[in-house]
């Protein structure tokens, strides 16, 4: 344990969509498994005018809607509801904030965690109010949801506002991908096995692909239209996956060691600037199409107006260090792709010489495919003899050494990422949270790409919903002799 277990969790934005879909259901699951500190109280606040009972009814409803029926136990639900209280507050009303702080102080009986799940422009004002009421000192922690800004300058401003009250060790920036079982398993695979590490470098790896493909659309959300795939997914989730894939082995699994190594990767990313943005990246926006046989509208139709926001981005990133020099890291994320897939693909170098050339057998390069979503699976693709007595001689085919973790751990419940994140935040363990310097290094790299794209004035390329993005993304990899996995 890193800090002492919190006695109070205060959620700002407690009636919002994230709270209802993820946060409260995760807290319920922790409750059900007996993992919440016994005296923990959960205090919600938002603009909605509710009393404690109204909030409890809302929470019960969001748990019923978002937790599988088989996992809802009336006793656990009652125990969780008994921990709840609520006070409405408009964040632009200093008196309401002051009343809120008074209520928090009255409930406090040990460590407090503040979870800010509001628009980020409120992070500074909320933190100053907390600070002014003596709620920023030892024994307090603050969890911040993404996005931390929309570029480096705004991220620095938000981080400065928070840092005026909380020391960096008290700040827990959420990237919910780090709470996913599969993402942590990537660390287990790399550092719990001696087998892969000798091969995990430019001598043996030909190319890496990281894909986060979603079938859902942007659903006409204004937030999405203001950010786009680059800010919404690349700056955080994809770069975190890249860091965990590419980083050096940390000396131990603790907050400084892990985050120091991730930061080094971010700082080794070769900047993509100016004219390179057009050759090394491809932005796209989906038009009407079909997914799984169902017709879906285009992005602009959903939004009700035309827009230059990208719903897809693909790129060739380079990491300038000894381990990865010369290895392309193809990154790709998009909405309305043909299937949901979060995947890390390492293709190893080809055999130096094929002894089977005279039989006409082709030898494909080995590959490791780590699938994080929709189900966890690890596949090592190896060449094997095709069974039979082929006259022409021995023939080969690629087979997979397939670790189906979903099946192997079938009796384990599929967890929400926030279960892990809450458990760690309540105990003060920041390993799976993003440090300020990481967020800012990621913004710096992404800002150059956005500036380069805006500099060309080019609109994102259209791609029909249900396809793997614009054709230019295919060409991007093909130019370097590679093709995307589909
Ligand atoms: C969020 C993005 O951070 O991640 C969403 O804002 C995206 O646009 C979501 O849909 C994807 O998360 P997951 O857990 O469904 O892969």
């Amino acid at each position: 344990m890193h800090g002492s277990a919190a006695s109070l969790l205060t959620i700002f934005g407690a009636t919002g969509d994230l709270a209802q879909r993820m946060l409260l259901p995760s807290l319920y699951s922790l409750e059900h498994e007996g993992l919440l500190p016994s005296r923990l109280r959960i205090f919600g606040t938002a603009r909605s005018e509710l009393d404690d009972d109204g909030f409890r009814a809302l929470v019960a409803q969001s748990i019923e809607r978002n937790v599988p029926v088989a996992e809802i136990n009336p006793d656990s639900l009652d125990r969780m509801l008994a921990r709840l209280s609520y006070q409405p507050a408009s964040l632009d009303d200093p008196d309401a904030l002051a009343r809120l702080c008074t209520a928090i102080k009255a409930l406090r009986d040990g460590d407090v965690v503040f979870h800010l799940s509001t628009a980020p422009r409120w992070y500074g004002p909320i933190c100053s109010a907390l600070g002014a009421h003596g709620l920023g000192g030892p024994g307090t922690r603050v969890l911040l949801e993404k996005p931390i800004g929309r570029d480096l300058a705004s991220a620095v401003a938000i981080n400065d506002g928070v840092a005026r009250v909380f020391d960096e060790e008290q700040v827990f920036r959420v990237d919910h991908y780090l709470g996913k079982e599969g993402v942590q398993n990537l660390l287990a695979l790399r550092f719990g096995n001696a087998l892969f590490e000798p091969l995990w470098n430019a001598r043996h790896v030909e190319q890496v692909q990281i894909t986060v493909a979603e079938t859902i659309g942007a659903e006409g959300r204004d937030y999405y239209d203001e950010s786009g795939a680059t800010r919404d997914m690349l700056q955080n989730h994809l770069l975190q996956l890249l860091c965990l894939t590419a980083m050096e082995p940390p000396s131990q699994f603790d907050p400084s060691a892990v985050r120091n190594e991730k930061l080094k990767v971010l700082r080794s990313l070769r900047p993509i600037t100016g004219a390179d943005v057009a050759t090394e990246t491809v932005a796209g926006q989906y038009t009407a199409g079909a997914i799984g046989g169902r017709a879906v509208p285009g992005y602009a139709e959903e939004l009700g107006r035309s827009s230059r926001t990208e719903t897809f981005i693909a790129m060739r990133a380079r990491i300038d260090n000894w381990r990865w020099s010369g290895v392309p890291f193809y990154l790709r994320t998009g909405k309305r792709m043909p299937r949901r897939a979060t995947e890390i693909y390492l293709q190893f170098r080809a055999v130096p010489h094929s002894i089977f050339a005279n039989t006409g057998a082709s030898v494909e390069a080995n590959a490791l495919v780590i699938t994080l979503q929709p189900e966890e699976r690890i596949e090592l693709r190896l060449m094997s003899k095709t069974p039979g007595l082929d006259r022409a001689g021995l023939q080969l085919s690629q087979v997979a050494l397939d670790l189906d973790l979903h099946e192997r751990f079938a009796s384990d419940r599929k967890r929400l990422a926030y279960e892990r994140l809450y458990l760690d935040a309540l105990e003060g363990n920041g390993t799976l949270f993003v440090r300020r310097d990481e967020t800012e290094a990621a913004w710096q790299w992404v800002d150059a790409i956005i500036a380069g794209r805006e500099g060309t004035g080019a609109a994102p390329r259209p791609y029909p919903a249900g396809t793997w993005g614009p054709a230019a993304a295919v060409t991007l990899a093909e130019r370097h002799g590679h093709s995307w996995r589909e």
Side-chain angles (χ1 to χ4, degrees):
M1 194 174 293
H2 293 247
S4 45
S7 66
L8 177 63
L9 167 66
T10 300
I11 305 177
F12 289 80
T15 59
D17 182 57
L18 183 72
Q20 297 204 35
R21 279 188 309 109
M22 300 284 174
L23 310 184
L24 296 157
S26 298
L27 288 166
Y28 165 78
S29 297
L30 292 176
E31 173 78 80
H32 183 48
E33 291 191 27
L35 294 171
L36 289 181
S38 54
R39 58 201 186 100
L40 181 78
R41 301 207 40 94
I42 301 169
F43 180 60
T45 179
R47 202 179 278 270
S48 312
E49 291 288 339
L50 296 172
D51 58 12
D52 290 352
D53 283 339
F55 183 56
R56 287 188 190 117
L58 183 79
V59 172
Q61 195 183 62
S62 47
I63 290 168
E64 276 149 19
R65 284 200 187 135
N66 294 291
V67 174
V69 181
E71 287 165 27
I72 301 183
N73 168 296
D75 294 341
S76 306
L77 185 58
D78 283 350
R79 269 202 312 279
M80 153 125 188
L81 296 180
R83 295 178 190 267
L84 301 177
S85 49
Y86 181 87
Q87 184 164 311
S90 284
L91 298 173
D92 52 4
D93 174 356
D95 293 341
L97 276 176
R99 283 196 299 276
L100 203 59
C101 291
T102 309
I104 294 170
K105 283 200 282 192
L107 282 173
R108 183 176 182 183
D109 178 26
D111 279 12
V112 192
V113 173
F114 303 104
H115 188 167
L116 311 195
S117 174
T118 65
R121 68 173 183 285
W122 297 114
Y123 293 177
I126 294 173
C127 289
S128 340
L130 295 173
H133 289 83
L135 287 166
T140 63
R141 304 189 264 289
V142 62
L143 249 73
L144 306 178
E145 282 300 325
K146 79 179 246 282
I148 308 285
R150 51 177 287 108
D151 53 21
L152 178 59
S154 52
V156 168
I158 291 173
N159 284 330
D160 281 348
V162 174
R164 275 194 277 279
V165 178
F166 294 97
D167 292 339
E168 181 58 26
E169 297 70 50
Q170 295 170 280
V171 183
F172 290 62
R173 289 176 198 78
V174 174
D175 182 314
H176 79 282
Y177 268 53
L178 297 180
K180 289 183 189 274
E181 203 74 6
V183 176
Q184 294 157 55
N185 201 20
L186 174 61
L187 294 172
L189 180 80
R190 283 198 62 196
F191 306 123
N193 296 290
L195 210 61
F196 297 111
E197 178 54 23
L199 303 176
W200 212 266
N201 55 49
R203 269 190 69 193
H204 299 285
V205 175
E206 161 79 23
Q207 57 146 332
V208 179
Q209 296 184 10
I210 301 179
T211 298
V212 180
E214 297 180 277
T215 51
I216 54 165
E219 286 142 7
R221 283 183 295 155
D222 285 332
Y223 153 72
Y224 190 87
D225 197 53
E226 283 157 26
S227 56
T230 313
R231 292 186 171 97
D232 183 51
M233 298 293 285
L234 174 70
Q235 190 272 344
N236 37 76
H237 309 323
L238 264 96
L239 287 184
Q240 286 294 322
L241 293 178
L242 171 92
C243 285
L244 297 175
T245 307
M247 73 183 185
E248 296 300 315
S251 59
Q252 49 189 343
F253 192 57
D254 80 5
S256 327
V258 171
R259 299 189 293 184
N260 287 346
E261 294 308 335
K262 288 196 291 170
L263 181 66
K264 284 189 214 160
V265 175
L266 292 166
R267 296 222 167 122
S268 310
L269 276 171
R270 185 181 301 179
I272 303 178
T273 55
D276 287 348
V277 174
T279 52
E280 301 295 350
T281 76
V282 172
Q285 186 189 87
Y286 62 84
T287 54
I291 298 184
R294 192 174 61 89
V296 292
Y299 179 75
E301 289 160 68
E302 282 174 345
L303 198 63
R305 59 185 149 83
S306 70
S307 158
R308 294 169 76 86
T309 298
E310 79 291 356
T311 60
F312 172 93
I313 180 156
M315 63 173 51
R316 183 176 73 127
R318 310 291 293 272
I319 300 172
D320 287 332
N321 63 18
W322 274 42
R323 185 185 284 264
W324 295 116
S325 179
V327 179
F329 279 72
Y330 295 101
L331 311 180
R332 159 176 77 156
T333 183
K335 301 241 183 245
R336 293 283 193 225
M337 303 270 101
R339 62 181 170 90
R340 172 162 156 84
T342 303
E343 226 178 59
I344 298 166
Y345 169 78
L346 276 89
Q347 189 192 309
F348 294 94
R349 296 205 184 275
V351 292
H353 162 74
S354 171
I355 66 163
F356 306 110
N358 57 347
T359 72
S362 64
V363 182
E364 290 169 49
N366 297 132
L368 181 67
V369 189
I370 305 164
T371 306
L372 311 167
Q373 298 184 127
E375 304 298 350
E376 269 189 84
R377 165 175 242 139
I378 297 170
E379 266 180 33
L380 184 60
R381 301 185 152 260
L382 304 169
M383 295 311 292
S384 167
K385 181 186 172 304
T386 314
L389 301 172
D390 200 304
R391 275 234 161 100
L394 190 137
Q395 294 298 310
L396 303 178
S397 36
Q398 197 170 52
V399 292
L401 202 61
D402 188 349
L403 187 57
D404 185 338
L405 295 163
H406 173 59
E407 202 163 280
R408 169 69 183 76
F409 296 110
S411 59
D412 285 61
R413 184 171 65 77
K414 201 166 179 175
R415 290 175 189 282
L416 294 172
Y418 279 94
E419 295 177 42
R420 167 91 265 156
L421 298 178
Y422 266 141
L423 196 60
D424 287 358
L426 290 172
E427 293 185 350
N429 179 357
T431 311
L432 297 176
F433 293 86
V434 183
R435 209 166 56 189
R436 173 174 186 161
D437 45 12
E438 287 179 76
T439 316
E440 294 182 0
W443 273 124
Q444 189 173 0
W445 191 72
V446 160
D447 273 1
I449 295 171
I450 294 172
R453 197 161 61 219
E454 285 171 356
T456 66
R461 295 164 194 265
Y463 66 95
T467 65
W468 287 103
V474 177
T475 328
L476 169 81
E478 278 177 354
R479 266 204 314 276
H480 304 283
H482 298 132
S483 49
W484 293 100
R485 236 182 79 76
E486 289 192 354

